[in-house]
């Protein structure tokens, strides 16, 4: 059952006006909390606290997690201490950390002062890990077992503590020093041949885990690669400190992809959804790159200034400059984006560079020949230029494509090798470099063949 | 424990040479099947069947699923009927379908003839759904319960049938007509207050499900949005026919993102990893777009031809054409990519177009003023042009940025409205259109101010 957000928000506003709080409560709590959060985000801001207070407590907390951070703040500000207590109590540790990440210091302080001591310790521990690390992203609410437990004991433990765990389906076995020694799933236990066995006998001891300092993106990709429900996070002594769950991994993957896409389009990435970013912030995310790329184009201007008189004499050549530059830019953009994505998905590694260059060289030759031939026909039929001009332009097209493809595959790999984000080396940068090189080739060929 | 693929592959080759099959078997089967598959993919192709046969049967099947499709084919061809039986028997239905999708007809026939009748029926059913639909992507191996079952009966059923299910953690409750009436999780049951309750009393009846014909991307995004382990797939009569699980949803999201990124870079998308795509295939994926965009540049050529003599007389203007075009292209690319991603993530809907235009218009004014001012300073200090030329260029920069931003946000939304993939309207197309418009503005301003 999926909710039409806009329609529901209007309905809620009407119910508020009619003061029909009973229907309002039941209408919202029949929704999935994720939908209810979107609906709450869409009603008038001053109504949010009222609607929120009408909802059943636990449901309200589930909604709260999914709401926009500005509305979360509105609510926290409106909450009494008792209400804040209730909500914080119902939140998972990792959700609390996410919440605090977006809040100003005074709100953080107020929230922390309302958490239980254990929760506060867990939150502070997670807050201490570097941003974007597995430690900063994990949750500390997992099921921890001992190797000598029977299945019956495991079930009893899960029954007792399971409600508050982020997942109960994968359980972690630790020794007396909290070192991670095994992993066992509820499925393993429920379908075990021998119901009398102990955890230690059935557990998997080949454990896939990450260190707290590992990049969250790598943790998410491991979860996806190994089809895990949750990935254990350990410290340098292999002590289990937390887990990253599949639903969080999905969110990481989506937001890392968004980040890559934004960087490839020469935008400083942001976590916020488009419509939530203000005018000045949007400007600030875009303008440095536009300025940098604009100033870099000084090189092409200089080249053209140098050949100004030659061009004035051979004015027919001017008309094809945009086409040459766009074609080079597009050809380079195609390969750089392919390589950037391949690196990000782990399909390509740094050692593949020679193989890639050789492949792209051959593809470039094919593309160059095709484009030059098509262009020659077009120029003779449509553009009505003389044959020597057509030859100069077509040779340049072929050369520009080859240069673009080779630069387009080399730069992202080099960027990765020196520790930069390869996504920076996408179309905009490649275009700027290829533009300058293509123009130089254009004039070199023109001066050789038609003596400009 | 993560495996160094290249090192392991060498180790395996050495063990093969020494004929130390015992060590070989234990080395590989200690790995995670996903890693073992990569290692198998990296050994000499003629060794693959031999290594595969040495592995424990069930482990071998798990590896098989993860291997490259060409190597899967090598193996299927090498298999005896008994071996093929064994592997197919151990595969989940959805993995079998994925496998068959990549195989030639004779292999499909051979595989199907080795499946059990029920499995064959399930496979054929899935194969009948449209490509990229939830039906084509689902698996039919889920736990189906009745509302009157006790928890004890549920556990017995899971114990009996659970091993062969894709997930046992979310179970689906159907009525006598196989209609989906509820969802219950193992966590719900294990942590239930009342252990004597029946499934019907505890199950969730507000069910989130998709129709078989729904786009797989939408199904994957719902799974992610609602943090589900599995999403039920129903037919038009609400009968439960399958489920999509979170691990498959992750794969869908990754490959849909890759597809978007490729389309945005003017490449026809492909499912294969970069290094597996041949030279001609790579060329075929890229050349139509390069040709189309090159031919579209005829418009800019025509505009320039029209002003050829004016440009020859005012040669100083030529030098700034590439900069104007790149800046317009970059400014348009930034916004189009942002909008495309926003549409894809569901952060933006078609109804937001006016809000977006108004926002982008204001951002464009800010960017235009910044770029024009910076450019003016640069032109006076570095390029040494006369002040009128600088004014013409700077006014054009500002105009080009505004045009580019407005076109960049409009086209993806229009594309979506008429049912095209918005990703097509990314940088390459926007650039081509913005180029032509910027040039026209350039000459209009130049003829007004300096009378070219």
């Amino acid at each position: 059952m999926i909710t039409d957000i806009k329609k529901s928000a209007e309905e809620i506003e009407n119910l508020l006006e009619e003061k029909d709080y009973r229907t309002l409560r039941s209408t919202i709590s029949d929704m999935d909390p994720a939908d209810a959060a979107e609906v709450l985000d869409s009603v008038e801001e001053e109504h949010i606290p009222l609607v929120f207070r009408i909802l059943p407590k636990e449901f309200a907390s589930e909604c709260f997690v999914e709401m926009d951070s500005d509305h979360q703040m509105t609510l926290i500000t409106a909450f009494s201490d008792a209400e804040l207590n209730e909500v914080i109590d119902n939140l998972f540790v990792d959700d609390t950390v996410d919440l605090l990440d977006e809040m100003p210091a005074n709100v953080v302080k107020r929230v922390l002062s309302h958490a239980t001591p254990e929760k506060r310790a867990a939150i502070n521990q997670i807050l201490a890990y570097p941003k974007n690390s597995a430690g900063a992203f994990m949750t500390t609410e997992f099921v921890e077992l001992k190797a000598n437990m029977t299945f019956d004991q495991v079930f009893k433990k899960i029954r007792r503590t399971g409600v508050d765990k982020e997942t109960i389906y994968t359980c972690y076995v630790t020794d007396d020093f909290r070192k991670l020694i095994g992993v066992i799933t509820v499925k393993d236990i429920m379908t075990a041949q021998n119901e009398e066995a102990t955890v230690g006998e059935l557990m998997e001891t080949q454990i896939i885990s990450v260190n707290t300092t590992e990049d969250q993106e790598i943790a998410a990709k491991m979860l996806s690669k190994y089809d895990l429900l949750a990935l254990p996070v350990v410290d340098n002594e292999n002590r289990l400190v937390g887990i990253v769950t599949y639903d969080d991994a999905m969110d990481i993957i989506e937001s890392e992809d968004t980040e890559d896409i934004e960087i490839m389009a020469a935008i400083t990435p942001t976590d916020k959804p488009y419509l939530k970013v203000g005018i000045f912030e949007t400007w600030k995310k875009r303008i440095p790159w536009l300025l940098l790329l604009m100033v870099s184009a000084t090189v092409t201007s200089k080249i053209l200034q140098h050949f100004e008189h030659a061009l004035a004499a051979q004015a027919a050549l001017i008309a094809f400059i945009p086409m040459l530059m766009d074609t080079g830019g597009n050809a380079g953009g195609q390969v750089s984006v392919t390589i950037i994505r391949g690196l990000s998905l782990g399909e390509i590694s740094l050692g593949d560079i020679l193989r890639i260059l050789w492949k792209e060289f051959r593809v470039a030759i094919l593309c160059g020949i095709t484009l030059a031939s098509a262009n020659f026909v077009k120029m003779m039929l449509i553009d009505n230029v003389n044959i020597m001009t057509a030859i100069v332009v077509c040779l340049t097209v072929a050369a520009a494509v080859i240069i673009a493809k080779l630069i387009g595959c080399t730069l992202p790999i080099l960027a990765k090798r020196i520790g930069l984000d390869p996504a920076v080396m996408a179309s905009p940068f490649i275009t700027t470099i290829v533009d300058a090189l293509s123009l130089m080739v254009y004039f070199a060929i023109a001066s050789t063949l038609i003596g400009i």
Side-chain angles (χ1 to χ4, degrees), chain A:
Chain A
M1 186 132 54
I2 297 140
T3 309
D4 179 335
I5 306 299
K6 276 186 189 160
K7 238 180 78 191
S8 303
E10 280 168 30
E11 201 185 326
I12 299 302
E13 294 286 1
N14 288 337
L15 290 171
L16 275 173
E17 211 158 301
E18 298 162 14
K19 299 207 188 325
D20 184 355
Y21 299 132
R22 185 186 299 266
T23 316
L24 196 151
R25 179 185 160 108
S26 68
T27 308
I28 300 187
S29 45
D30 274 355
M31 298 175 191
D32 183 277
D35 286 330
E38 274 190 61
V39 172
L40 270 174
D41 281 333
S42 312
V43 303
E44 301 274 333
E45 182 152 0
E46 73 259 34
H47 295 156
I48 294 179
L50 171 59
V51 178
F52 193 83
R53 286 190 176 115
I54 294 170
L55 299 177
K57 295 283 170 266
E58 201 176 328
F59 184 85
S61 299
E62 283 172 55
C63 275
F64 181 79
V65 176
E66 308 273 346
M67 287 175 66
D68 274 351
S69 57
D70 0 347
H71 294 152
Q72 288 175 332
M73 197 135 94
T74 311
L75 280 173
I76 292 185
T77 317
F79 283 160
S80 70
D81 281 357
E83 284 172 322
L84 187 60
N85 254 333
E86 195 121 34
V87 170
I88 298 298
D89 224 43
N90 278 314
L91 292 184
F92 282 119
V93 167
D94 58 341
D95 290 329
T96 318
V97 171
D98 284 352
L99 172 70
L100 296 182
D101 257 354
E102 314 252 338
M103 298 289 142
N106 60 330
V107 177
V108 174
K109 230 170 140 181
R110 181 155 176 242
V111 169
L112 278 179
S113 73
H114 285 81
T116 60
E118 303 87 56
K119 198 166 206 170
R120 192 160 53 235
I123 292 170
N124 279 321
Q125 185 194 0
I126 295 179
L127 284 174
Y129 289 110
K131 200 169 160 14
N132 295 329
S133 69
F137 205 77
M138 68 190 186
T139 184
T140 49
E141 286 142 326
F142 49 84
V143 180
E144 194 170 350
L145 305 176
K146 294 294 164 199
N148 59 7
M149 286 170 99
T150 63
F151 294 163
D152 210 43
Q153 287 173 314
V154 172
F155 283 133
K156 284 210 179 100
K157 174 155 193 175
I158 291 178
R159 175 173 302 282
R160 209 174 56 239
T161 64
V163 180
D164 294 328
K165 303 303 179 187
E166 187 101 341
T167 183
I168 61 162
Y169 301 132
T170 307
C171 304
Y172 300 92
V173 189
T174 54
D175 67 12
D176 294 340
F177 307 99
R178 296 207 65 181
K179 282 189 210 280
L180 180 62
I181 56 171
V183 174
I184 192 165
T185 67
V186 167
K187 183 172 179 176
D188 293 338
I189 297 177
M190 287 182 77
T191 59
Q193 299 293 325
N194 173 11
E195 298 178 38
E196 307 299 314
T198 61
V199 166
E201 290 167 52
L202 196 65
M203 71 187 185
E204 173 64 71
T205 54
Q206 302 286 344
I207 306 165
I208 294 164
S209 66
V210 283
N211 193 281
T212 48
T213 54
E214 187 60 272
D215 190 310
Q216 60 171 23
E217 185 175 4
I218 292 179
K221 293 213 158 133
M222 282 173 61
L223 237 134
S224 165
K225 175 175 176 185
Y226 297 111
D227 288 349
L228 302 174
L229 261 173
L231 179 70
V233 183
V234 295
D235 66 11
N236 290 330
E237 276 78 47
N238 197 35
R239 281 184 303 241
L240 181 63
V241 289
I243 59 171
V244 175
T245 50
Y246 74 97
D247 48 330
D248 293 336
M250 273 194 192
D251 294 343
I252 296 176
I253 289 175
E254 285 260 288
S255 72
E256 292 285 343
D257 281 352
T258 304
E259 196 177 304
D260 273 359
I261 289 172
E262 289 179 328
I263 296 173
M264 283 195 262
I267 308 169
T268 309
T270 160
D271 283 340
K272 291 196 213 166
Y274 172 74
L275 290 171
K276 297 274 163 194
V277 188
I279 307 298
F280 280 97
E281 205 179 330
T282 306
W283 169 78
K284 248 172 53 192
K285 300 287 177 198
R286 296 183 187 168
I287 197 73
W289 301 94
L290 290 177
L291 274 172
L292 178 64
L293 293 166
M294 183 183 78
V295 173
S296 316
T298 308
V299 179
T300 51
S301 303
K302 287 283 165 212
I303 296 171
L304 285 169
Q305 276 180 339
H306 185 75
F307 288 97
E308 211 168 271
H309 300 292
L311 277 176
Q314 285 285 345
L317 291 179
I318 301 171
F320 304 100
I321 290 176
M323 183 276 288
L324 285 172
M325 288 175 22
D326 282 350
T327 303
N330 292 332
Q334 286 180 330
V335 50
S336 67
V337 162
T338 306
I339 300 296
I340 291 165
R341 185 69 180 162
L343 285 168
S344 155
L345 292 177
E347 292 170 0
I348 294 172
S349 60
L350 296 181
D352 294 321
I353 186 159
L354 290 178
R355 251 176 100 186
I356 293 171
L357 271 172
W358 174 228
K359 172 174 171 171
E360 288 300 333
F361 179 69
R362 288 175 295 163
V363 174
I365 300 268
L366 283 178
C367 287
I369 293 174
T370 322
L371 291 172
S373 317
N375 197 46
F376 188 79
V377 173
K378 191 210 82 166
M379 286 180 82
M380 298 312 289
L381 294 181
I382 303 180
D383 298 327
N384 275 317
V385 294
N386 74 53
I387 189 158
M388 283 315 285
T389 307
I391 290 174
V392 169
V393 172
C394 292
L395 285 177
T396 312
V397 165
V401 168
I402 294 171
I403 293 170
K405 292 275 183 208
L406 295 181
I407 289 180
C409 66
T410 311
L411 288 190
I413 297 181
L414 284 185
K416 171 121 188 177
R417 177 152 289 170
I418 61 172
L420 287 178
D421 187 339
V424 171
M425 295 302 170
S427 203
F429 267 93
I430 303 281
T431 302
T432 305
I433 297 168
V434 170
D435 279 358
L437 293 174
S438 312
L439 281 179
M440 287 198 279
V441 172
Y442 194 31
F443 292 123
I445 294 176
S447 72
T448 313
L449 294 188
I450 54 178
I452 62 165

